Amino acid sequence: RVAGMSAAPVTAKTAHIIVLANEKGGSGKTTTAMHVIVALLQAGQKVAAIDIDSRQLSLSRYIENRRAWSKKSKLGLHLPELHSIARANGRSLDENEAEEFARFANAVSSIEQHNDFVVVDTPATDSYLMRLAHAMADTLITPLNDSFVDMDVLGRIDAESFEITATSHYAEVVREARRQRRMVDQDEADWIVMRNRVGQLDTRNGRNFADGLNDLSKRLNFRHAVGF
């Protein structure tokens, strides 16, 4: 079971699922998702994209704009197969979750057999679909602006010692999603935290930030990368 629902889309999949997620807005999820998609396409992989940010649909618009520009300019740009998942708006929470689960499961089922990778862009909110995507991830990428304000989404930082005093809500969301995944197929997501918009690597603040991420990576079992 995943997030209290049937685990149908998690089992027997062939495509590698990459999920871009962070509960804090403005971290660069959609931009990073697009870079990952294009890099994979340029490498000759078959790629599908699923946009579950039903309010913004930024990835969907980005891909459609790329499609229009490719056609207009006759450039033949690489494009992924795109699926956008609308949020259910019924009266019952259970019915809404069941409908969203079905939409997501149908999208994954329709693309996993003929694609090498599926890249999922998520909203910056704690929602049912967001948690479901986390539980399905083979690779989870969390872009993080090079700021202690942004690091707070993962852990609480002591203002004087810069030591980690506690883990944060989003880190617990990921922990639970990985636990759910292990229950289904004894596997869990490879979690990568990516320092985005890096501008202070060799400063004292930058080194303190890196030390904080190193501490968190040991506590939360993620790898961290600088930039793409």
Side-chain angles (χ1 to χ4, degrees), residues 161-218:
S161 67
F162 294 101
E163 293 182 354
I164 307 299
T165 59
T167 55
S168 298
H169 174 71
Y170 178 66
E172 294 305 318
V173 168
V174 176
R175 192 197 304 273
E176 175 60 18
R178 293 171 113 182
R179 187 187 71 82
Q180 293 276 358
R181 175 67 184 273
R182 286 194 300 271
M183 290 172 60
V184 173
D185 60 5
Q186 292 74 55
D187 201 359
E188 68 176 26
D190 176 20
W191 188 12
I192 301 170
V193 174
M194 187 197 81
R195 291 176 68 178
N196 197 19
R197 303 184 180 97
V198 177
Q200 52 180 359
L201 286 176
D202 296 323
T203 66
R204 180 182 178 184
N205 201 51
R207 290 190 291 272
N208 286 333
F209 188 88
D211 290 343
L213 270 187
N214 280 328
D215 189 355
L216 277 170
S217 70
K218 296 171 184 176

Side-chain angles (χ1 to χ4, degrees), residues 1-3 6-11 13 15-19 50 52 100-101 103-109 111-112 118 120 128-140 174 176-178 180-182 184-185 187-190:
R1 295 174 65 82
V2 175
S6 166
V10 176
T11 60
K13 66 179 183 297
H16 186 95
I17 297 180
I18 301 174
V19 175
I50 300 180
I52 64 172
E100 290 171 1
F101 177 88
R103 292 173 182 175
F104 196 13
N106 289 339
V108 173
S109 298
I111 60 182
E112 63 182 354
V118 175
V120 183
Y128 175 75
L129 275 182
M130 184 272 272
R131 289 183 179 238
L132 180 59
H134 278 69
M136 294 177 63
D138 295 306
T139 299
L140 172 64
V174 176
E176 175 60 18
R178 293 171 113 182
Q180 293 276 358
R181 175 67 184 273
R182 286 194 300 271
V184 173
D185 60 5
D187 201 359
E188 68 176 26
D190 176 20

Side-chain angles (χ1 to χ4, degrees), residues 45-194:
Q45 303 296 320
K46 295 181 179 179
V47 184
I50 300 180
D51 189 351
I52 64 172
D53 188 353
S54 58
R55 181 181 295 274
Q56 298 291 339
L57 290 176
S58 298
L59 182 63
S60 299
R61 289 201 304 275
Y62 202 130
I63 292 171
E64 291 305 327
N65 288 339
R66 181 179 174 89
R67 188 187 312 280
W69 178 252
S70 178
K71 182 178 180 180
K72 180 179 179 179
S73 304
K74 299 181 180 179
L75 292 176
L77 298 175
H78 293 292
L79 291 160
E81 179 181 347
L82 174 64
H83 293 259
S84 302
I85 310 300
R87 177 170 291 185
N89 293 306
R91 295 182 179 179
S92 165
L93 177 61
D94 289 342
E95 290 178 359
N96 287 342
E97 290 184 350
E99 184 174 346
E100 290 171 1
F101 177 88
R103 292 173 182 175
F104 196 13
N106 289 339
V108 173
S109 298
S110 69
I111 60 182
E112 63 182 354
Q113 298 299 323
H114 59 275
N115 283 284
D116 302 305
F117 290 88
V118 175
V119 178
V120 183
D121 192 24
T122 65
T125 55
D126 184 358
S127 66
Y128 175 75
L129 275 182
M130 184 272 272
R131 289 183 179 238
L132 180 59
H134 278 69
M136 294 177 63
D138 295 306
T139 299
L140 172 64
I141 302 176
T142 300
L144 195 71
N145 289 325
D146 214 31
S147 161
F148 284 103
V149 173
D150 283 52
M151 190 191 285
D152 191 68
V153 77
L154 299 178
R156 304 284 184 257
I157 312 295
D158 183 271
E160 294 185 358
S161 67
F162 294 101
E163 293 182 354
I164 307 299
T165 59
T167 55
S168 298
H169 174 71
Y170 178 66
E172 294 305 318
V173 168
V174 176
R175 192 197 304 273
E176 175 60 18
R178 293 171 113 182
R179 187 187 71 82
Q180 293 276 358
R181 175 67 184 273
R182 286 194 300 271
M183 290 172 60
V184 173
D185 60 5
Q186 292 74 55
D187 201 359
E188 68 176 26
D190 176 20
W191 188 12
I192 301 170
V193 174
M194 187 197 81

Side-chain angles (χ1 to χ4, degrees), residues 22-38:
N22 185 335
E23 275 193 35
K24 188 179 185 303
S27 64
K29 293 186 299 297
T30 301
T31 301
T32 305
M34 197 65 201
H35 278 280
V36 169
I37 288 168
V38 172

